[in-house]
Amino acid sequence: MVIIGGGHVGLSFALLLAHHGIDSVLVEQSVYPTISPDDDTARTQYLDSRNTALSRRTVQIYERIGLWQSLQSHACRIDSVHISELGSFGRAVLDKKAEGVESFGQVMENAWLGRQLLLAAKANAHITLHDDAKVVNITQDATSASVSVEQAGRAFVLSAPLVVACDGSQSPSRALLGIGTSTHDYNQVGIVGVVQTDKPHQHIGIEKFSEVGPLAVLPLTDGRGDGADDSTAGFRRSVVFICPKGEEARYLQDDEFFLATLQQVFGDDAGRFVQAGRRGAYPLTKILADRQVVGRCVVMGNAAHTLHPVAGQGFNLCLRDADTLAAMLAHEKRQAQAAGKTADLGDYQKLRAYEQARQKDQQRVIKFCDTVVGSFTSKNPVMKFARNVGLIAFDKIPGIKPMVAAYAMGLKS
Ligand SMILES: Cc1cc2nc3c(=O)[nH]c(=O)nc-3n(C[C@H](O)[C@H](O)[C@H](O)COP(=O)(O)OP(=O)(O)OC[C@H]3O[C@@H](n4cnc5c(N)ncnc54)[C@H](O)[C@@H]3O)c2cc1C
């Protein structure tokens, strides 16, 4: 099997396949850093400045393939989530004890997640990695699909019964396969990074809705990975701040302005914002592939669906797709082996069955994100009142919170 794109989804998919004993060749256009397992400072230079809220289901998937052990030293639990609207009276609290759950997920720096995925993939005999290698063409016939690769001045072709493209939002593979998209530009930019407050986070996530969009402050580990991270002493927090497109420069460049804005938005909820770290800016566009299977090729990850980061659902949804496809392929392989045959892992009907099996979860998450973005950014005073009543109702009506909590944890699909 060939995987195009070795971001978090491509690497995770390769590791899920490997767990089932399925070999893959992964082609990544960027140059992977050389990382020693003993040197964890390398993580700060690798990948991006984002942090990802991993749902309970994502943690369960990584636990199953034996990866969570190496990830958890830099994972920070979310024990409760406080949701409110800027300048309004409504407030809702999701608490792990009240909902009877272990946590609402774990927050991790992308740099650490990427580092551990890469180390695991490099050490796995089922995975062959080609980095600094760009896929420039895809062809397919009745028995196999072939990708043309350009790597450091040389060109070669890889053929396999199945090609899975995890090459991101702008997915060149999607275009090569003739898959159209529906897109929606939010005209917003997500500014993400790490800040420090003078009040410990106590494993509380704070989500504040404003007319611009949802703003979140999530607990982070102290970054040492020495076990102290699990205490409530942590003062580091991950910030997702959303601003209209074109206004991002000042938030990125001016630390004092950024900290003062956060203070204004969050008031005393997180204490005093005392220090801001490196920040990255991500233009927000929803991109949905019209189809996810063409012949022997599948698009997955952001190539299949790129969502607004409002509820921290994007990567979690991608991982559930990857887990499902890996399990279906493993099942095919086992069945064929039992019958003394070789499985055709790129069988179109089976791949379509995968696509259909994932529809419900994908549609539900897309709708959830659309609803949250739409209702909380409306300037209509009636909507504003309804939002507040909604938050109060959310806090008081029995049965609603467990449902939303299960959903946010990725346990409902
Ligand atoms: C601000 C922000 C915050 C977010 N927070 C969360 C969160 O808290 N929780 C959550 O679940 N999700 C979150 N997400 C979503 C999450 O980041 C994405 O869903 C996830 O990163 C998608 O990973 P991917 O591997 O599909 O794509 P990418 O990370 O884009 O990887 C694609 C890879 O393909 C490679 N590639 C591209 N073209 C080629 C080619 N021709 N040949 C070879 N390789 C190629 C690229 O170099 C890249 O490495 C957030 C997103 C944003 C923007």
Side-chain angles (χ1 to χ4, degrees), residues 4-10 27-30 50-53 133-135 166-169 172 192 282 284 300-303 309 312-316 318:
I4 304 171
H8 291 177
V9 177
V27 184
E28 165 57 41
Q29 71 178 2
S30 63
R50 273 178 296 177
N51 306 290
T52 296
K134 186 175 176 176
V135 169
C166 309
D167 50 356
S169 306
V192 288
Y282 299 84
L284 303 182
M300 185 183 273
N302 270 15
Q313 299 278 325
F315 175 69
N316 292 303
C318 297

Side-chain angles (χ1 to χ4, degrees), residues 54 68 72 74-80 96 101-108 201-205 218-221 229-232:
L54 305 176
W68 184 245
Q72 66 181 352
H74 290 75
C76 195
R77 285 187 337 265
I78 306 175
D79 287 346
S80 64
K96 70 168 186 179
V101 297
E102 199 179 300
S103 76
F104 291 108
Q106 306 268 351
V107 189
M108 186 170 294
H201 58 60
Q202 296 175 299
H203 298 273
I204 298 170
L218 299 173
L220 263 188
T221 64
D229 295 346
D230 206 32
S231 75
T232 51

